[in-house]
């Protein structure tokens, strides 16, 4: 196996509402989502006393019906004990509150993910969104682009059921005992505030969430909530702890198919970000705006949600270079940030 190659498992991809057994007591489910890549992988963990769900899919009627079908079949004799959310994005915890309420199950999530989700999905009831306007203006967006960004701010709450009012906190190094096996919590950063991955040494299986995906790079974005933060720096640092896991472990991601070659995929992700950073650093020989950096990284026209995600990702790369002291950031005459060596 080369430095960057991975091998996919021979597990059958489950149809919506069906299950594929990965190992004894570990089941793979695929739920539909209305945006790329059109699916999310969620998992069931079986315990002697009941079941645990890892991630839920979005808060839609279709996903509810699929869960009811699964729960009616799998949980006749044993109840749902807990819902574990790797992080706050709606395709991961969109139905956490609904499932916990319906089956009176505990909710497991890291503290930063829970509190950030409560803040974001509560909704913005203020009439004045000057902070958002200022943030997007400083990125160099035009009026039409800013209106699109602001219009879509908070839209994810529409596919997220109300969150449980209490939770069990997941922390780095914690172990969940399920069916007599240890599921170790490994915290990743960058894609979301405090992303929880689960590793089982006995099975040599890693539930990687969105932190490590086989085909696409997890979106690492600067958000208006923390405009000067450097999530890419956090992502690259936290990535190193996953090299401590066995290189032959089976990775169960949230998107794409299960695969082997964890260390190779980590190296591939690191190389991809280095290439983007090197390209931006070269471009910063002259002053550029954040919006200008999108074309440098992606080299193709992007629209809608793809453009919005690319804007956050481009800004994450610029903030990384800025925080590292490799470029400077100053205002131009229009009040936009300009980045230059």
């Amino acid at each position: 196996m080369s430095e960057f190659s991975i091998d996919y498992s021979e597990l059958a991809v489950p149809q919506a509402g069906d299950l594929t057994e990965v190992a004894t007591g570990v089941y793979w489910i695929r739920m539909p989502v209305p945006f790329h890549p059109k699916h999310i992988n969620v998992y069931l963990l079986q315990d002697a006393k009941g079941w645990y769900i890892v991630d839920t899919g979005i808060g839609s009627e279709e996903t509810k019906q699929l869960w009811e079908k699964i729960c009616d079949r799998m949980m006749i004799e044993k109840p749902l004990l807990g819902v574990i959310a790797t992080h706050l994005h709606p395709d991961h915890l969109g139905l956490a509150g609904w499932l916990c309420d319906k089956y009176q199950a505990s909710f497991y999530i890291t503290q930063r993910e829970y509190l950030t989700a409560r803040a974001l999905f509560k909704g913005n009831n203020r009439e004045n969104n000057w902070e958002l306007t200022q943030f997007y203006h400083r990125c160099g967006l035009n009026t039409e682009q800013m209106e699109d960004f602001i219009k879509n701010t908070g839209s994810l709450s529409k596919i997220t059921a109300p969150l449980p009012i209490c939770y069990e906190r997941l922390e780095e190094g914690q172990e969940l005992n399920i069916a007599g096996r240890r599921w170790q919590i490994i915290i990743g950063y960058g894609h979301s505030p405090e992303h929880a991955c689960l590793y089982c040494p006995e099975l040599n299986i890693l539930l990687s969430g969105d932190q490590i995906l086989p085909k696409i790079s997890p979106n690492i974005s600067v958000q208006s909530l923390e405009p000067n933060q450097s999530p890419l720096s956090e992502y690259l640092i936290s990535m190193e702890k996953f090299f401590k896991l066995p290189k032959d472990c089976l990775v169960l991601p949230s998107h794409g198919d299960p695969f082997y070659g964890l260390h190779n995929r980590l190296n591939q992700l690191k190389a991809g970000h280095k290439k983007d950073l090197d390209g931006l650093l070269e471009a910063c020989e002259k002053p550029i705006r954040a919006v200008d950096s999108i074309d440098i990284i992606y080299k193709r026209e992007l629209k809608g949600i793809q453009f919005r995600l690319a804007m956050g990702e481009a800004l994450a790369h610029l903030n990384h270079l800025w925080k590292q002291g490799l470029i400077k950031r100053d205002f131009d005459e229009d009040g936009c940030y300009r980045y230059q060596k």
Side-chain angles (χ1 to χ4, degrees):
M1 187 180 290
S2 70
E3 182 184 6
F4 292 152
S5 66
I6 64 174
D7 292 326
Y8 289 97
S9 75
E10 297 181 356
L11 295 166
V13 178
Q15 298 300 309
D18 291 333
L19 291 78
T20 291
E21 186 173 14
V22 176
T24 302
V26 180
Y27 297 88
W28 169 24
I29 303 167
R30 181 163 280 187
M31 292 290 185
V33 295
F35 42 79
H36 183 76
K38 298 297 183 181
H39 73 265
I40 177 175
N41 300 322
V42 301
Y43 299 94
L44 270 179
L45 304 178
Q46 185 177 19
D47 184 74
K49 297 180 180 180
W51 297 86
Y52 291 86
I53 290 172
V54 181
D55 290 335
T56 70
I58 64 169
S60 69
E61 287 303 316
E62 180 182 14
T63 312
K64 286 180 182 179
Q65 291 174 11
L66 290 171
W67 272 122
E68 287 175 335
K69 173 185 174 182
I70 292 168
C71 292
D72 287 346
R73 183 175 59 186
M74 302 296 290
M75 301 176 190
I76 297 174
E77 298 179 356
K78 297 179 181 179
L80 179 62
L81 299 175
V83 175
I84 302 169
T86 58
H87 62 293
L88 61 82
H89 295 152
D91 49 335
H92 295 262
L93 57 58
L95 279 182
W98 178 80
L99 283 163
C100 290
D101 287 346
K102 183 176 179 64
Y103 297 100
Q104 296 187 1
S106 298
F107 182 45
Y108 295 77
I109 191 171
T110 63
Q111 184 179 62
R112 285 180 63 188
E113 296 289 335
Y114 180 77
L115 295 179
T116 306
R118 286 295 296 265
L120 288 177
F121 300 142
K122 183 71 174 177
N124 182 7
N125 297 319
R126 296 169 60 201
E127 294 182 3
N128 189 343
N129 290 319
W130 69 268
E131 297 103 327
L132 290 177
T133 302
Q134 181 186 77
F135 174 73
Y136 296 129
H137 175 74
R138 288 176 173 178
C139 289
L141 298 181
N142 60 39
T143 301
E144 181 181 352
Q145 291 168 331
M146 282 195 290
E147 289 177 352
D148 178 65
F149 271 67
I150 292 172
K151 179 183 68 175
N152 283 281
T153 299
S155 61
L156 296 180
S157 62
K158 299 176 183 177
I159 51 175
T160 306
L163 293 171
I165 61 173
C166 61
Y167 70 105
E168 300 287 340
R169 188 191 304 182
L170 299 177
E171 298 179 293
E172 178 74 46
Q174 180 182 352
E175 293 184 349
L176 300 179
N177 189 313
I178 301 175
R181 303 188 187 109
R182 296 169 296 151
W183 288 91
Q184 300 171 351
I185 304 302
I186 305 173
I187 303 299
Y189 298 93
H191 177 68
S192 64
E194 194 180 12
H195 184 299
C197 301
L198 292 84
Y199 174 68
C200 179
E202 291 86 352
L203 297 174
N204 200 20
I205 287 176
L206 173 67
L207 300 181
S208 65
D210 278 356
Q211 197 70 16
I212 306 166
L213 302 174
K215 287 188 176 181
I216 59 176
S217 173
N219 181 256
I220 313 295
S221 283
V222 171
Q223 306 289 344
S224 58
L225 189 67
E226 292 185 281
N228 294 315
Q229 194 58 24
S230 182
L232 181 57
S233 304
E234 295 180 336
Y235 180 75
L236 294 173
I237 291 171
S238 65
M239 181 184 287
E240 295 303 314
K241 67 180 71 176
F242 293 94
F243 280 103
K244 298 177 182 178
L245 299 181
K247 62 176 63 177
D248 64 344
C249 76
L250 175 61
V251 182
L252 303 182
S254 289
H255 305 286
D257 295 344
F259 68 95
Y260 297 95
L262 171 63
H263 294 192
N264 291 351
R265 182 55 181 151
L266 292 170
N267 283 325
Q268 189 178 41
L269 289 166
K270 288 175 64 176
H273 286 298
K274 184 179 186 304
K275 179 182 177 182
D276 292 339
L277 289 167
D278 288 345
L280 282 178
L281 192 58
E282 182 179 352
C284 284
E285 292 289 349
K286 297 180 179 179
I288 64 170
R289 301 170 303 170
V291 71
D292 302 325
S293 65
I294 295 177
D295 291 337
I296 298 168
I297 294 177
Y298 292 94
K299 298 180 176 61
R300 66 183 188 276
E301 184 179 4
L302 300 171
K303 296 181 179 179
I305 188 172
Q306 289 186 330
F307 178 78
R308 294 192 293 273
L309 292 173
M311 182 72 263
E313 182 115 12
L315 192 54
H317 285 73
L318 288 170
N319 275 11
H320 176 78
L321 294 173
W322 174 52
K323 294 281 187 175
Q324 295 291 317
L326 298 174
I327 59 175
K328 297 179 181 179
R329 188 184 77 176
D330 294 300
F331 288 111
D332 63 14
E333 62 276 9
D334 296 321
C336 298
Y337 283 133
R338 295 278 180 171
Y339 301 83
Q340 187 176 16
K341 283 187 180 179

